[in-house]
């Protein structure tokens, strides 16, 4: 396991699912972890269970002031931010474009795309000043192809994928490592929401088809290692057997 002792990792959407699993893996690797989400009780309980090297900060990623406050709180407590994991995301309301509510549609863009931008914008000055850092952004296969009932989600994830590329282009020379991760389908609350929609082939998958969130978390840890430098500015996919091997997700 990569040794993250002395490093500080900020994880958005850490109240459950992939973000919660990531908090546990990074803490086990020795990192200080900063858990953020809207559910104060849940992130507080997870941070308490992890111990002194965990901090919970309530945050709605669709508000820049909240995201900036998280970065400031991380620096105040641990002295730096070495890794930002842009993981918070929503998919509801799933449904046909023709029936979509413009405000609800826009909220998905606010969280999944603008939330990613806010994270990058808040952490970049700090990372550049400290000589570098890693920004990992959870993308999706939906960034690459349209899926029925998911126009908002596909558009937001395509935008988030572009943000990784843009960050790499502008800041790789200043030591910022930007990589995206398309996890495949993962056994979390989001897949329960997809299943209950009954729309499109993804909602028809069996629960056993989904990978556990711990595989994604382990991949995020590997993405902080030099071995993942081959993929800077790109997106890796956990459907790719080569990536699974390099990230040791089976081990
Ligand atoms: O989903 P879920 P996952 N501000 O629903 C938080 C992507 N992905 O772990 O605020 C701040 O269990 C929410 O916390 P709370 C997906 O698009 C997944 O699967 O307390 N946080 C919770 O912690 C997403 O980017 C699959 O409600 C906000 C977390 O987000 C990432 O993986 C496939 C927030 C969502 O946890 C993690 O999703 C794929 C806000 N405004 C990509 N709104 C998959 N599961 O199959 C929500 O390709 N959160």
């Amino acid at each position: 396991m990569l040794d993250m002792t002395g490093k500080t990792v900020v994880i958005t959407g850490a109240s459950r699912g992939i973000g919660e699993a990531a908090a546990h893996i990074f803490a086990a690797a020795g990192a200080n972890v900063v858990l953020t989400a809207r559910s104060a009780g849940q992130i507080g309980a997870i941070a308490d269970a992890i111990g002194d090297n965990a901090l919970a900060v309530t945050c709605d990623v669709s508000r820049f002031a909240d995201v900036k406050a998280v970065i400031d709180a991380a620096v105040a407590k641990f002295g730096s931010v070495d890794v930002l994991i842009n993981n918070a995301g929503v998919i509801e309301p799933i449904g046909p474009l023709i029936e979509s509510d413009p405000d609800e549609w826009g909220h998905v863009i606010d969280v999944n795309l603008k939330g990613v931008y806010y994270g990058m914008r808040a952490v970049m000055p700090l990372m550049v000043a400290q000589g570098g850092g890693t920004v990992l952004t959870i993308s999706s296969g939906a960034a690459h192809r349209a899926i029925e009932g998911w126009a908002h989600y596909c558009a937001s994830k395509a935008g988030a994928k572009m943000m990784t590329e843009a960050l790499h282009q502008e800041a790789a020379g200043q030591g910022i490592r930007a990589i995206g991760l398309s996890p495949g389908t993962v056994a979390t609350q989001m897949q329960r929401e997809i299943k209950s929609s009954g729309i499109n082939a993804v909602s028809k998958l069996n629960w056993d088809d989904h990978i556990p969130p711990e595989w994604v978390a382990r991949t995020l840890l590997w993405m902080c290692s030099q071995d993942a430098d081959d993929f800077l500015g790109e997106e890796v996919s956990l459907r790719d057997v080569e990536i699974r091997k390099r990230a040791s997700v089976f081990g």
Side-chain angles (χ1 to χ4, degrees):
M1 188 185 265
L2 184 69
D3 184 5
M4 296 289 290
T5 304
K7 305 287 184 191
T8 299
V9 183
V10 172
I11 305 165
T12 70
S15 62
R16 57 177 188 263
I18 293 169
E20 178 181 7
H24 286 294
I25 290 262
F26 277 90
N32 304 313
V33 289
V34 180
L35 299 95
T36 80
R38 293 164 303 173
S39 309
Q42 277 171 259
I43 52 173
I46 298 164
D48 285 349
I50 290 173
D52 289 346
N53 58 330
L55 174 70
V57 187
T58 310
C59 162
D60 182 335
V61 295
S62 70
R63 297 189 198 142
F64 179 66
D66 278 22
V67 179
K68 176 79 172 61
V70 168
I71 301 300
D72 292 346
V75 173
K77 168 99 175 161
F78 297 120
S80 70
V81 175
D82 303 283
V83 180
L84 168 65
I85 303 179
N86 286 313
N87 166 74
V90 289
I91 196 163
E92 290 285 15
I94 295 168
L97 186 48
I98 194 170
E99 294 170 8
S100 57
D101 176 88
D103 289 338
E104 291 180 345
W105 201 97
H107 181 252
V108 174
I109 301 295
D110 288 346
V111 175
N112 295 4
L113 174 55
K114 289 166 77 175
V116 167
Y117 158 68
Y118 292 154
M120 291 175 177
R121 180 63 185 86
V123 86
M124 266 183 88
L126 176 71
M127 285 186 173
V128 168
Q130 72 191 15
T134 294
V135 178
L136 307 179
T137 298
I138 308 293
S139 179
S140 171
H144 305 268
R145 62 179 188 284
I147 300 171
E148 182 192 354
W150 293 11
H152 52 352
Y153 187 76
C154 295
S156 69
K157 291 295 184 179
K161 172 185 172 291
M162 185 54 70
M163 288 304 298
T164 291
E165 294 177 21
L167 181 64
H168 175 71
Q169 188 183 65
E170 291 194 18
Q174 291 154 295
I176 296 190
R177 303 171 68 256
I179 317 179
L181 172 61
S182 173
T185 66
V186 189
T188 67
Q189 171 68 22
M190 186 172 281
Q191 280 298 335
R192 279 189 272 279
E193 292 167 6
I194 290 167
K195 182 156 270 316
S196 67
S197 76
I199 299 176
N200 75 43
V202 184
S203 74
K204 308 289 192 292
L205 292 172
N206 293 321
W207 198 253
D208 293 350
D209 294 331
H210 306 317
I211 64 170
E214 289 72 24
W215 287 19
V216 187
R218 219 173 296 153
T219 306
L220 290 164
L221 183 59
W222 165 75
M223 289 165 76
C224 293
S225 74
Q226 274 189 349
D227 188 49
D229 283 356
D230 296 347
F231 305 99
L232 295 181
E234 298 174 19
E235 198 167 280
V236 297
S237 169
L238 257 183
R239 291 185 189 279
D240 182 340
V241 175
E242 180 63 24
I243 295 297
R244 288 186 179 195
K245 277 191 199 148
R246 286 177 71 163
S248 306
V249 292
F250 301 109

